[in-house]
Amino acid sequence: MRPDGGISPGLVAQQRVRQLEQKLRAKEERIVVLETENALLHLKLAEFRGLIGRDTNEVAQLNFVHDKQQNLCRSTSSVIIQVYGAIQRLKRDLKNLHSFALELSRDFQHQCKSSLYQVLTVVQSIQLQNEAMQTFQTKAFDLEQSLQEVNERYQQEKQKRKILHNSLVELRGNIRVHCRIRPLLPFDTASGHSVSQDRHRKLPEKVAHTTDDETVLVKCNRPGHTLINKTFQFDRVYSAAESQDTVFADVAPLLTSLLDGYNVCIMAYGQTGSGKTYTMLGPQSEDDVTLSIEDEPELGIIPRATEEVFRLISEKPPGSHWVEVSVVEVYNNEIFDLLAKDSCGRVFGVKRDVVTTKEGKSDVPLLTYETVENAVEFLQLVDKGLQLRVKHPTLVHAHSSRSHLVVTLTITTKAVSADSFAPLWTDEQSSPRLSKELFCTFPQQMKDDKLVFPSRASSPAQFESTEKLKHIKTKLQLVDLAGSECVGMSGVTGVALRETSFINRSLSALSDVLGAIAEQRSHIPYRNSKLTHLLQDSIGGNAKLLVMLCISPCQKYLAESLQSLGFGTRARQVQRGQVKKRNLPMSSKSK
């Protein structure tokens, strides 16, 4: 220090040097540290440089992936935009659906209210109807009881009707004679002229008239003789204006007797051209006679009778009746089967013979019978036979039948007889068929005064008292006789002349038979002709006979008309015993 009390410069310098040395040492230490750190940093830099070399490829890959992600993001963005648009549209649709649903809900509520009101109305109506139904059921029960009583009374009255009907027919006569006067026709002007030539000619005066329903008046006006009026009485007389319906109305009651167990025969008698075939069959065409239900107003007795028979059968229990048909003609005193068939199935006439059975009845062995189920089948079958019927033109009639036609319907009735107590069947195979027949024929039985029905499940041993099936046959014979004619007027020669001779002889034999029956002779000459032999059971046997006289009103046929009227008069004089019915058991009649 300086004496003056101040700091010496040297000391200051030393202190400064010391400070600087300290700083130098500190800097050196710092340099060492920094060098150390620098070395470390160089190491790390070398390490990082190695790492950077490795990651360059990864960075490139990451850049590629990033580019792809960017592309994907761009495409995704477009899809999102589309989806967003679709979502917006769906939102709009949903809003519309919501509005529609609200409207539909309002309508549904309105309809529910309306339906509920209707249901309530219907329920009330049903309640009223139920009350009315209960009332109706009570009335129906009363009506059923009344109906049962009426049915019982009906069955009783039905039996009385059958008895009264057949008694009435018998009181009228088992042989009834009707007369039909045909209208004047163009060929009545003069023989030898055709119908076409005579259409413009003046028709002649009528000499046969009807005065009432039972009387025929004939004016017998011959040159040089006084006018004589002759009258003939018959059961029924038809004028020229009366139709086929009117004629059949008087025939139909006989068919009821047919199903009541009686045989019936209806025959047409008269000269050629007097309308027999028209009355029995219907209108004739130019070539043949054809039958058809479509021509109903003009149908004759044969097709109408068949329709009526099937109508009556339809009112009976199903399967209790069936019908068989035979068609024969008597030509030149020979019987021909018009339904016989050859080996090829063609219909052709086969000669048959008539015999007398042990019971004294006429029969034609090997005669063809065809089963029919309705009137249409019958007409078709008879048409086939009519095609074979012999015809020949004469001056009197252009389609003169040269044979007697006999159409026979055989009705078989399945009845029940209580005289047997055997079981109905003995094996399972036959039992359904036989039990069906029993049900069709006699469907109900009485047990302890109550109505009971047999059981299909019952065993044969349970039928201790069983009724036996029995077949009853009745016949309806429909006869269209060949016309009697004067040889001089008809102008026939050769074969036709021979035919005329046989026709007249057979009709004369028929007249002789009726005369013998009327005079009650011990011998009736049925076998003098095949016709009378064939019709033996109808003329003098067990049948109700209706003779339909057909006459012409024309002056030139006066002799033939008088002959026909005389035949009818003789037929009315025939007195036969009471016609017997084919016995039907009581159980059958009660149906």
Side-chain angles (χ1 to χ4, degrees):
M1 261 183 124
R2 289 178 69 174
D4 56 6
I7 301 173
S8 72
L11 187 58
V12 172
Q14 290 178 353
Q15 293 178 347
R16 180 64 180 167
V17 169
R18 284 196 296 272
Q19 293 177 348
L20 291 174
E21 287 178 353
Q22 291 178 351
K23 290 181 179 183
L24 179 61
R25 285 195 294 274
K27 292 291 184 181
E28 288 178 351
E29 292 176 359
R30 178 64 180 166
I31 290 169
V32 173
V33 172
L34 291 174
E35 287 178 352
T36 304
E37 290 178 355
N38 186 31
L40 292 175
L41 289 173
H42 277 288
L43 291 175
K44 288 183 177 181
L45 177 61
E47 183 179 359
F48 284 145
R49 285 178 177 174
L51 291 175
I52 289 172
R54 289 195 304 271
D55 291 339
T56 301
N57 293 331
E58 294 181 2
V59 171
Q61 292 178 356
L62 289 174
N63 289 334
F64 177 75
V65 171
H66 179 68
D67 293 338
K68 289 182 66 176
Q69 289 178 347
Q70 287 182 344
N71 293 332
L72 181 61
C73 287
R74 285 193 295 271
S75 62
T76 304
S77 298
S78 62
V79 172
I80 291 173
I81 293 172
Q82 293 177 359
V83 171
Y84 178 76
I87 291 172
Q88 294 300 320
R89 289 192 297 272
L90 290 175
K91 286 182 178 180
R92 289 194 297 271
D93 293 341
L94 182 61
K95 185 177 181 180
N96 293 334
L97 287 174
H98 182 68
S99 301
F100 177 73
L102 291 176
E103 183 179 359
L104 187 62
S105 177
R106 288 192 294 269
D107 293 340
F108 177 73
Q109 291 176 357
H110 176 72
Q111 291 180 1
C112 283
K113 292 179 180 179
S114 176
S115 300
L116 181 61
Y117 175 76
Q118 293 177 358
V119 168
L120 292 176
T121 304
V122 171
V123 169
Q124 293 177 353
S125 176
I126 291 174
Q127 291 176 349
L128 295 175
Q129 290 179 358
N130 285 335
E131 295 175 358
M133 182 64 70
Q134 292 177 354
T135 304
F136 289 149
Q137 287 176 347
T138 304
K139 292 181 178 179
F141 179 75
D142 295 337
L143 289 174
E144 285 179 356
Q145 291 182 333
S146 300
L147 180 60
Q148 186 176 0
E149 295 175 358
V150 170
N151 281 333
E152 293 175 356
R153 292 175 56 190
Y154 167 74
Q155 293 298 332
Q156 296 173 358
E157 294 299 326
K158 187 176 179 182
Q159 294 302 318
K160 292 180 181 179
R161 180 208 59 79
K162 288 182 179 180
I163 297 172
L164 292 174
H165 166 78
N166 291 294
S167 298
L168 176 62
V169 173
E170 289 166 6
L171 287 173
R172 289 177 175 176
N174 290 324
I175 295 182
R176 305 198 66 203
V177 181
H178 294 188
C179 180
R180 188 180 195 185
I181 303 176
R182 70 161 172 81
L184 288 171
L185 299 174
F187 63 78
D188 288 329
T189 55
S191 59
H193 295 279
S194 64
V195 174
S196 61
Q197 291 173 329
D198 293 330
R199 281 182 180 156
H200 303 292
R201 292 178 179 270
K202 183 179 179 180
L203 294 178
E205 181 183 359
K206 295 173 62 176
V207 296
H209 306 269
T210 58
T211 58
D212 55 42
D213 287 347
E214 297 180 353
T215 307
V216 177
L217 173 65
V218 180
K219 297 178 181 180
C220 300
N221 185 10
R222 292 182 294 174
H225 293 78
T226 306
L227 176 63
I228 300 175
N229 292 334
K230 291 187 178 182
T231 59
F232 299 86
Q233 296 289 327
F234 300 107
D235 298 288
R236 181 69 164 89
V237 176
Y238 307 96
S239 66
E242 293 186 271
S243 65
Q244 300 276 63
D245 290 330
T246 305
V247 173
F248 183 71
D250 295 320
V251 175
L254 287 173
L255 304 178
T256 303
S257 297
L258 180 70
L259 292 188
D260 287 343
Y262 292 87
N263 292 327
V264 176
C265 178
I266 303 169
M267 68 170 60
Y269 182 96
Q271 73 173 105
T272 300
S274 60
K276 299 185 304 303
T277 300
Y278 176 78
T279 299
M280 294 301 294
L281 294 170
Q284 284 184 274
S285 65
E286 291 297 327
D287 298 323
D288 54 11
V289 177
T290 55
L291 305 178
S292 174
I293 298 297
E294 297 176 357
D295 302 328
E296 187 171 356
E298 297 295 322
L299 287 178
I301 291 175
I302 291 179
R304 287 174 185 266
T306 308
E307 283 191 273
E308 179 66 10
V309 167
F310 280 105
R311 187 191 69 79
L312 293 172
I313 289 176
S314 68
E315 298 175 354
K316 304 295 182 181
S320 62
H321 295 72
W322 66 88
V323 180
E324 295 175 307
V325 179
S326 66
V327 181
V328 301
E329 71 169 351
V330 181
Y331 174 67
N332 287 350
N333 205 33
E334 295 289 349
I335 297 176
F336 291 90
D337 183 355
L338 299 185
L339 296 184
K341 298 179 180 179
D342 59 14
S343 58
C344 298
R346 292 189 295 264
V347 176
F348 72 111
V350 176
K351 185 185 295 186
R352 306 292 188 194
D353 198 7
V354 58
V355 299
T356 301
T357 63
K358 294 180 179 179
E359 295 79 14
K361 298 182 179 181
S362 62
D363 184 35
V364 181
L366 304 178
L367 183 61
T368 303
Y369 290 92
E370 295 284 351
T371 302
V372 293
E373 296 183 356
N374 51 59
V376 175
E377 290 184 4
F378 166 81
L379 295 181
Q380 293 174 349
L381 198 62
V382 173
D383 272 338
K384 294 180 180 179
L386 292 177
Q387 305 306 319
L388 301 179
R389 191 180 184 188
V390 179
K391 298 182 181 64
H392 192 280
T394 68
L395 296 180
V396 178
H397 194 269
H399 303 282
S400 176
S401 299
R402 314 307 291 170
S403 65
H404 309 290
L405 178 70
V406 181
V407 178
T408 304
L409 283 83
T410 303
I411 295 92
T412 303
T413 303
K414 193 185 302 178
V416 183
S417 176
D419 57 357
S420 175
F421 298 91
L424 281 181
W425 57 79
T426 56
D427 55 70
E428 296 180 356
Q429 184 175 3
S430 61
S431 61
R433 176 181 60 83
L434 292 176
S435 61
K436 182 178 179 181
E437 292 178 349
L438 178 62
F439 272 65
C440 294
T441 308
F442 192 64
Q444 56 193 22
Q445 296 178 342
M446 298 299 295
K447 183 178 182 181
D448 298 331
D449 296 329
K450 295 182 180 179
L451 191 65
V452 296
F453 291 85
S455 173
R456 286 290 298 270
S458 300
S459 64
Q462 292 176 315
F463 284 86
E464 297 178 357
S465 177
T466 304
E467 294 176 331
K468 183 179 180 181
L469 293 177
K470 182 179 180 181
H471 293 164
I472 304 297
K473 291 189 177 183
T474 54
K475 288 186 178 182
L476 170 63
Q477 285 186 303
L478 304 163
V479 185
D480 179 22
L481 296 173
S484 60
E485 57 189 20
C486 175
V487 175
M489 184 172 293
S490 61
V492 293
T493 58
V495 175
L497 178 60
R498 184 169 180 268
E499 294 171 347
T500 300
S501 176
F502 277 110
I503 291 171
N504 290 338
R505 275 190 281 173
S506 63
L507 294 176
S508 178
L510 179 60
S511 181
D512 291 341
V513 166
L514 291 176
I517 297 175
E519 296 173 6
Q520 298 182 357
R521 299 178 196 168
S522 59
H523 173 69
I524 310 298
Y526 291 114
R527 299 194 183 187
N528 286 358
S529 168
K530 293 289 182 69
L531 174 65
T532 54
H533 198 181
L534 179 65
L535 300 179
Q536 175 179 344
D537 297 339
S538 301
I539 302 171
N542 184 22
K544 296 186 176 182
L545 174 62
L546 170 62
V547 178
M548 184 69 66
L549 298 178
C550 297
I551 64 173
S552 168
C554 186
Q555 168 68 40
K556 69 176 182 176
Y557 303 125
L558 178 60
E560 287 77 6
S561 297
L562 289 174
Q563 187 271 334
S564 297
L565 294 171
F567 174 87
T569 301
R570 286 192 297 276
R572 288 198 74 195
Q573 295 172 353
V574 173
Q575 297 295 327
R576 298 188 304 184
Q578 182 177 357
V579 174
K580 296 181 181 180
K581 62 183 289 186
R582 307 304 299 275
N583 291 327
L584 297 175
M586 291 299 293
S587 60
S588 175
K589 293 191 292 183
S590 64
K591 292 182 287 185

